[in-house]
């Protein structure tokens, strides 16, 4: 749980720290001035991508409630962040690593969107199942009543849940004939 909570907080910090690392690291490890300028524009885009993914992950209710991401989120975010961190270390493979970072970023984004829709689908399905159970007169999953439902549905023939036959009111219409 500690790792999941750490990644929850790290994903927002990473949106600023990793692009800054790209700039500082590429300047330290011997990239030319034009390469650093190109990395600047790439770092801005990566920072926006990191922020977008963090917001999509944050949109899930269980992430907001527990303040922890899932283990799958930890895995894909760790891989993507390590690829970003590795770019300044190797100037020879920086082009290939940049391509992997872009592909990884797209994969992480769509994975986060898929998880968001999957958890929303599960929550809606659970709500629909609960409504159907209550409509059939069964006890809700949290209730245990062997005698039947806690709150039975009213008889459809009785007005306002009163027993007996419903009252009938007949209104006759009178028309004036010319």
């Amino acid at each position: 749980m500690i790792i999941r909570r750490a990644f929850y907080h790290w994903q927002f910090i990473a949106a600023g720290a990793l692009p800054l690392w790209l700039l500082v690291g590429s300047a330290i490890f011997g990239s030319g001035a034009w390469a650093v300028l190109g990395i600047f524009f790439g770092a801005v885009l990566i920072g926006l991508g990191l922020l977008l993914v963090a917001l999509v992950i944050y949109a899930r209710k269980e992430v907001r409630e527990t303040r922890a991401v899932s283990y799958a989120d930890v895995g894909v975010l760790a891989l993507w962040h390590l690829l970003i961190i590795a770019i300044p270390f190797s100037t020879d493979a920086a082009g290939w690593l940049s391509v992997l970072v872009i592909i990884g970023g797209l994969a992480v984004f769509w994975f986060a969107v898929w998880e968001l829709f999957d958890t929303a689908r599960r929550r809606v399905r659970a709500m629909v199942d609960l409504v159907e159970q209550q409509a059939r007169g069964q006890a809700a999953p949290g209730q245990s009543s062997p005698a039947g439902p806690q709150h039975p549905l009213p008889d459809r023939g009785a007005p306002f849940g009163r027993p007996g036959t419903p009252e009938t009111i007949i209104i006759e219409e009178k028309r004036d004939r010319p």
Side-chain angles (χ1 to χ4, degrees):
M1 186 68 153
I2 293 171
I3 293 173
R4 292 173 48 210
R5 285 183 189 255
F7 265 88
Y8 171 79
H9 295 292
W10 166 249
Q11 68 181 344
F12 295 107
I13 296 169
L18 290 180
L20 186 63
W21 163 248
L22 285 176
L23 292 172
V24 172
S26 62
I28 290 173
F29 291 108
S31 294
W34 288 108
V36 172
L37 182 64
I39 288 174
F40 172 76
F41 292 114
V44 169
L45 293 176
I46 286 175
L48 291 174
L50 287 165
L51 184 61
L52 180 65
V53 167
L55 291 174
V56 171
I57 290 173
Y58 182 76
R60 295 195 323 252
K61 183 179 181 182
E62 66 271 2
V63 170
R64 288 191 313 269
E65 287 177 348
T66 61
R67 294 195 177 270
V69 297
S70 69
Y71 283 114
D73 291 330
V74 169
V76 295
L77 287 175
L79 179 65
W80 190 31
H81 293 177
L82 287 175
L83 285 172
I84 293 170
I85 291 170
I87 288 176
F89 286 119
S90 61
T91 56
D92 298 333
W96 288 104
L97 281 175
S98 298
V99 170
L100 285 176
V101 165
I102 292 169
I103 292 170
L106 291 172
V108 169
F109 172 75
W110 286 112
F111 176 75
V113 168
W114 174 76
E115 272 194 335
L116 175 66
F117 282 117
D118 186 52
T119 56
R121 181 184 51 85
R122 279 189 272 134
R123 289 180 56 219
V124 168
R125 184 168 312 273
M127 181 57 77
V128 168
D129 290 343
L130 178 66
V131 168
E132 286 177 355
Q133 285 177 354
Q134 289 180 350
R136 280 187 246 124
Q138 297 175 351
Q143 300 172 345
S144 61
S145 73
Q150 295 285 337
H151 304 285
L153 295 174
D155 182 17
R156 294 292 177 207
F160 305 111
R162 292 182 289 168
T165 60
E167 297 177 15
T168 305
I169 300 174
I170 299 174
I171 300 174
E172 293 182 12
E173 183 178 334
K174 290 185 179 182
R175 291 188 182 182
D176 294 334
R177 297 190 183 222

